[in-house]
Amino acid sequence: MKVRISHVIFSLSFVFLSLMDLGAQTVMRDTVRLYFEQDRTDIVSAVGGNEKALDTICRIVDLYSDTPDFHVYIKGWASPEGSSLYNRSVSEDRAAAALAFITERAGSALSASSSTLEGMGVDWDGLCRILSDGDDFPERGDVLRIIREIPLWISDGDNVTGGRKKALMDFEGGRIWGLLTERYFPQLRRAEVVLEYTQPQDEPLPSMPQIEAAPVPVPAAATNDSVLLPEEQPVTEYLPEYKPVYRLAIKTNLLADVALMPSLELEWLINPSWSLSAQGAVAWWSIRPQHRYYQIATVYPEARWWFSTREAWHGHYLGLFAGGTLYDLENGGRGYKGEGGFVGLSYGYMLPVGKRLSLEFGIGAGWMFTEYEEYLPVPYEDGTHYVYQQTSRMNYFGPLKLKLALAWRLGDWPGRNSGKGGAR
């Protein structure tokens, strides 16, 4: 009986000493933020106080990277300017850049179990916090309402027609978007580095002025599952890329240009299905002394209905046009000088060939009425007299235009999405 009691006392003593040894250690979690320039994924020490933050990381890595419990959690973030796919990629690259720096400092690659890496995309929650804590401006409440109440994407079937970013860009004519871009977005372009390590209680804490949050002591026996990570949760769905629509197109008809009749067209995309254009062409050539005239001017507006489109400025259209023309045509013989009006229907197809460039193919037919004077150029002394012959009229029905146009699209107004995204 005495032997058994001694065994119990010994066991209790061992457990007590083990618990004292566990209690002599503390799991520390220090959070440091690294900031990035717009569209950049490389760490620049002069940006946003990065130099002191990097010093903090270096001190912790030098002291604790070789310990068994050393772990790094890194989350990369982006600001909202780019598309969702681009922002996701940038945030991942920023997190990877922070991990590469820590790995280089540690002198060897961290094991997969010692590092956790995530690209979070745009930090909308962080923007709300910054706006709530930052300087006040009259429209701040409306901006916070847009961020909190308007969903990321508003869709009509398979097409994205609007959303949170578009609402912010359109608010107050884009003035507030410019304010956000200049004052608040730089704080979102960052990587949050959480360094976790075990430290004996009797060891003095290193001086770390750039730590964003105070170390949180956790029992050494706790598992990684019990460690609290930052509140933001990773985004798991893949959202469709939100492309701006270039609503204005400037065009020139290459066929008219080859015929020495320079042309210009402006077209405005009202919405994905309707657009308005104004077109004109002018040639005012004269070759003397043969008395040849090639003088013509035409201008006409056109309304277009787009159908079977893959995206804005890419697909088929039907148009209704009407306009007028002035002309004076003479090739060393009888000349014709007059004016006319026309109306007709058109069909065309536009094909993007670059980020802002497209090719347009089109034909048009309809009715034209013209009245003109016929004349003969007669040499007289040192000049020419144009002798009137008769006035004629003509009604014409048939082809009125043929187009092979080069279009330059501009004006970065947000519009509908061009593709189909994944599940929300």
Side-chain angles (χ1 to χ4, degrees):
M1 188 67 178
K2 293 181 180 181
V3 174
R4 292 180 180 178
I5 293 175
S6 62
H7 286 178
V8 171
I9 293 175
F10 177 79
S11 300
L12 291 175
S13 300
F14 179 80
V15 171
F16 178 75
L17 292 174
S18 299
L19 290 175
M20 288 184 62
D21 182 66
L22 288 174
Q25 292 182 342
T26 302
V27 172
M28 309 297 294
R29 295 179 63 252
D30 299 321
T31 301
V32 182
R33 291 181 178 178
L34 298 172
Y35 293 94
F36 295 81
E37 296 177 326
Q38 185 175 2
D39 294 328
R40 298 287 295 271
T41 59
D42 56 322
I43 299 175
V44 180
S45 60
V47 173
N50 281 352
E51 184 174 359
K52 292 183 178 180
L54 293 172
D55 289 342
T56 299
I57 294 175
C58 290
R59 284 195 293 270
I60 296 176
V61 171
D62 290 343
L63 289 171
Y64 303 108
S65 62
D66 293 333
T67 61
D69 296 326
F70 182 77
H71 197 100
V72 180
Y73 303 91
I74 305 177
K75 291 186 177 183
W77 299 93
S79 52
E81 291 95 329
S83 68
S84 62
L85 296 180
Y86 175 77
N87 288 331
R88 175 64 66 83
S89 175
V90 166
S91 66
E92 291 173 351
D93 291 342
R94 287 171 178 168
L99 180 61
F101 174 84
I102 295 173
T103 298
E104 181 180 359
R105 184 68 187 189
S108 61
L110 298 176
S111 65
S113 60
S114 299
S115 60
T116 302
L117 203 67
E118 291 183 275
M120 307 299 293
V122 176
D123 187 10
W124 291 108
D125 292 338
L127 180 58
C128 281
R129 290 193 298 271
I130 294 171
L131 286 170
S132 299
D133 298 336
D135 298 334
D136 193 13
F137 56 94
E139 300 83 2
R140 183 173 67 169
D142 294 325
V143 173
L144 287 171
R145 178 187 56 79
I146 291 174
I147 297 175
R148 290 167 177 165
E149 297 181 5
I150 296 182
L152 279 176
W153 309 103
I154 299 174
S155 61
D156 179 13
D158 292 328
N159 296 318
V160 174
T161 58
R164 183 182 304 165
K165 179 178 175 181
K166 182 179 186 301
L168 283 176
M169 296 182 73
D170 292 345
F171 182 56
E172 291 291 325
R175 180 177 62 86
I176 300 301
W177 179 262
L179 173 67
L180 297 175
T181 300
E182 179 180 357
R183 186 182 300 179
Y184 297 100
F185 287 175
Q187 302 176 60
L188 305 179
R189 306 172 193 132
R190 70 190 192 280
E192 292 189 350
V193 181
V194 179
L195 300 159
E196 182 182 287
Y197 53 95
T198 300
Q199 182 183 55
Q201 285 186 345
D202 57 353
E203 181 177 329
L205 294 176
S207 176
M208 301 171 188
Q210 289 301 307
I211 294 176
E212 295 289 337
V216 180
V218 180
T223 64
N224 287 339
D225 293 337
S226 65
V227 177
L228 297 178
L229 295 178
E231 294 179 358
E232 296 85 359
Q233 297 299 319
V235 180
T236 57
E237 73 272 21
Y238 286 92
L239 299 175
E241 184 175 357
Y242 189 65
K243 291 185 178 180
V245 170
Y246 306 109
R247 292 191 180 276
L248 179 64
I250 300 177
K251 309 177 186 179
T252 183
N253 188 350
L254 301 178
L255 298 180
D257 298 339
V258 170
L260 301 181
M261 188 168 64
S263 66
L264 179 66
E265 177 184 352
L266 299 177
E267 184 171 6
W268 177 261
L269 192 68
I270 300 174
N271 57 46
S273 300
W274 292 96
S275 65
L276 290 175
S277 73
Q279 307 173 51
V282 176
W284 215 253
W285 314 115
S286 174
I287 302 178
R288 293 176 179 269
Q290 295 85 356
H291 315 298
R292 296 175 179 174
Y293 283 83
Y294 179 41
Q295 298 179 351
I296 184 170
T298 181
V299 62
Y300 58 95
E302 182 171 349
R304 291 174 178 169
W305 171 60
W306 294 80
F307 64 98
S308 298
T309 55
R310 298 185 181 181
E311 60 181 6
W313 305 114
H314 187 184
H316 305 265
Y317 68 82
L318 292 176
L320 173 65
F321 63 90
T325 182
L326 300 173
Y327 58 89
D328 187 354
L329 305 174
E330 180 254 310
N331 191 25
R334 182 177 291 268
Y336 306 89
K337 181 179 182 179
E339 58 187 31
F342 53 87
V343 63
L345 298 174
S346 65
Y347 162 79
Y349 181 81
M350 185 175 285
L351 172 69
V353 294
K355 181 178 180 180
R356 292 179 178 265
L357 294 178
S358 295
L359 283 179
E360 179 185 348
F361 309 88
I363 56 174
W367 170 81
M368 181 177 71
F369 170 80
T370 180
E371 181 176 280
Y372 55 93
E373 295 180 352
E374 299 181 33
Y375 64 87
L376 289 174
V378 178
Y380 180 76
E381 295 182 353
D382 294 333
T384 301
H385 281 186
Y386 300 94
V387 181
Y388 169 80
Q389 300 296 303
Q390 64 179 5
T391 297
S392 302
R393 297 179 178 85
M394 182 182 68
N395 285 286
Y396 166 82
F397 183 82
L400 290 177
K401 67 173 183 175
L402 182 64
K403 175 187 286 188
L404 171 58
L406 180 65
W408 178 42
R409 297 172 276 116
L410 68 157
D412 298 345
W413 291 277
R416 72 174 187 176
N417 186 277
S418 63
K420 301 178 181 179
R424 305 268 187 249

